[in-house]
C-alpha cells in the first residue's frame, strides 16, 4: 500500500490525475505542449520535459502574448481548435533562474511548493477563455545555436507529434488520421539560447 502524502497544490494534482490516468477525452486530442495566443490565433510549443516550454511560455505571456495552457493542451478533434484551460504554470527552479538571469526587469508573482522537485506556481492574469484556431506549431528547445527552420516533411512532423502526444491506451488508425491533420499547419524547428532571442525569432517569423 502507498503511504498517504500531503498535497500542496490540490488543483494541479487533480489536473495531473485527470490528464495522465484516464481514458482520452471524447472528441479531444491531448498534446504535451504549451499554447499562447496572439491576434486571436494560437501558437503551440511542443517538446519533451526539460526542453524549456514552460520557461519560454512564462516569458512570452509577460511580454505581449496571452496564456492558453502549459504542459498539456486539449484540442478539438472536430476543427482542431485549441480549447481554453488556464491551468496554473509550474515553473522549475532552473526556469526561474533562466528568467532571472536573462530578464532583469521581469517580476513574477506566485509561490514555491514542493521539497525535492520544488516549483514556482503562478496563475497568469491574461488568460484566453475561448477556443481559437492554431496558426503555427513550434518544436522548441534550448540550444547553443539559434535555428528557426520550416519542417517540410509531414512524416517528420507526424513522428514528432506522436513522440510528444499523450497517447490513448489504443492508438487506432482513426486516431492516427486525426493526428495527421496537424501536419497541415506551418510547423517549425525552433532552437534558441535565450528566451529574448526566441521571442525575436518567433515575431519575425509570424509577421
Amino acid at each position: 500500500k502507498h503511504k498517504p502524502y500531503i498535497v500542496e497544490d490540490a488543483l494541479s494534482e487533480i489536473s495531473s490525475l485527470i490528464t495522465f490516468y484516464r481514458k482520452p477525452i471524447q472528441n479531444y486530442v491531448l498534446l504535451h505542449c504549451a499554447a499562447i495566443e496572439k491576434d486571436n490565433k494560437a501558437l503551440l510549443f511542443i517538446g519533451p520535459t526539460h526542453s524549456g516550454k514552460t520557461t519560454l511560455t512564462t516569458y512570452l505571456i509577460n511580454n505581449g502574448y496571452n496564456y492558453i495552457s502549459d504542459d498539456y493542451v486539449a484540442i478539438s478533434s472536430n476543427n482542431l481548435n485549441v480549447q481554453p484551460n488556464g491551468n496554473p504554470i509550474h515553473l522549475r527552479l532552473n526556469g526561474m533562474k533562466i528568467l532571472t538571469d536573462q530578464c532583469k526587469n521581469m517580476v513574477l508573482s506566485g509561490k514555491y511548493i514542493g521539497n525535492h522537485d520544488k516549483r514556482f506556481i503562478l496563475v497568469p492574469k491574461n488568460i484566453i477563455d475561448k477556443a481559437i484556431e492554431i496558426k503555427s506549431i513550434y518544436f522548441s528547445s534550448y540550444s547553443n545555436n539559434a535555428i528557426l527552420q520550416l519542417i517540410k516533411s509531414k512524416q517528420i512532423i507526424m513522428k514528432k507529434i506522436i513522440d510528444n502526444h499523450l497517447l490513448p491506451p489504443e492508438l487506432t488508425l482513426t486516431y492516427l488520421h486525426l493526428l495527421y491533420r496537424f501536419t497541415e499547419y506551418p510547423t517549425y524547428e525552433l532552437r534558441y539560447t535565450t528566451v529574448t532571442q526566441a521571442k525575436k525569432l518567433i515575431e519575425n517569423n509570424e509577421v
Side-chain angles (χ1 to χ4, degrees):
K1 294 183 178 180
H2 296 288
K3 294 181 180 180
Y5 61 94
I6 297 174
V7 175
E8 297 185 66
D9 185 4
L11 288 177
S12 298
E13 187 76 8
I14 293 170
S15 177
S16 296
L17 290 172
I18 290 174
T19 304
F20 294 106
Y21 294 104
R22 75 176 178 186
K23 293 182 179 180
I25 307 172
Q26 187 176 8
N27 299 325
Y28 291 94
V29 179
L30 287 177
L31 289 183
H32 181 206
C33 67
I36 60 174
E37 180 269 349
K38 185 78 169 181
D39 299 327
N40 206 34
K41 299 286 185 179
L43 307 181
L44 304 187
F45 297 99
I46 303 178
T49 301
H50 301 295
S51 63
K53 297 186 304 295
T54 300
T55 306
L56 179 58
T57 297
T58 303
Y59 175 74
L60 291 174
I61 64 172
N62 280 275
N63 288 275
Y65 293 80
N66 294 311
Y67 180 66
I68 300 175
S69 185
D70 176 55
D71 200 34
Y72 67 90
V73 174
I75 300 173
S76 169
S77 59
N78 296 320
N79 54 20
L80 298 189
N81 282 356
V82 178
Q83 305 303 301
N85 187 325
N87 53 309
I89 291 178
H90 290 58
L91 190 61
R92 289 183 171 86
L93 294 185
N94 184 54
M96 277 293 293
K97 185 178 186 306
I98 289 171
L99 292 176
T100 300
D101 292 344
Q102 298 179 11
C103 316
K104 302 296 184 182
N105 297 323
M106 193 168 83
V107 178
L108 297 177
S109 178
K111 66 175 183 177
Y112 286 100
I113 67 165
N115 295 315
H116 301 294
D117 187 18
K118 185 173 285 188
R119 307 288 183 93
F120 186 78
I121 309 301
L122 57 125
V123 180
K125 296 180 181 179
N126 49 332
I127 298 175
I128 294 299
D129 59 1
K130 62 179 180 179
I132 59 174
E133 297 178 6
I134 298 172
K135 182 178 182 182
S136 305
I137 299 173
Y138 292 87
F139 291 99
S140 60
S141 62
Y142 285 116
S143 175
N144 292 327
N145 299 308
I147 295 175
L148 180 59
Q149 183 175 346
L150 178 68
I151 303 176
K152 296 180 180 180
S153 170
K154 291 189 176 184
Q155 288 75 19
I156 292 177
I157 297 173
M158 184 68 172
K159 183 180 185 305
K160 285 178 173 287
I161 289 175
I162 290 176
D163 288 344
N164 290 280
H165 173 243
L166 300 177
L167 295 175
E170 295 182 7
L171 190 60
T172 64
L173 187 60
T174 300
Y175 213 79
L176 283 172
H177 285 160
L178 173 58
L179 292 180
Y180 191 75
R181 291 166 58 193
F182 286 96
T183 65
E184 300 298 326
Y185 293 100
T187 303
Y188 305 89
E189 186 78 30
L190 171 64
R191 300 179 188 176
Y192 55 94
T193 56
T194 67
V195 290
T196 53
Q197 181 187 61
K199 181 175 181 286
K200 290 180 181 178
L201 290 170
I202 293 166
E203 288 179 341
N204 291 337
N205 187 55
E206 295 294 332
V207 172

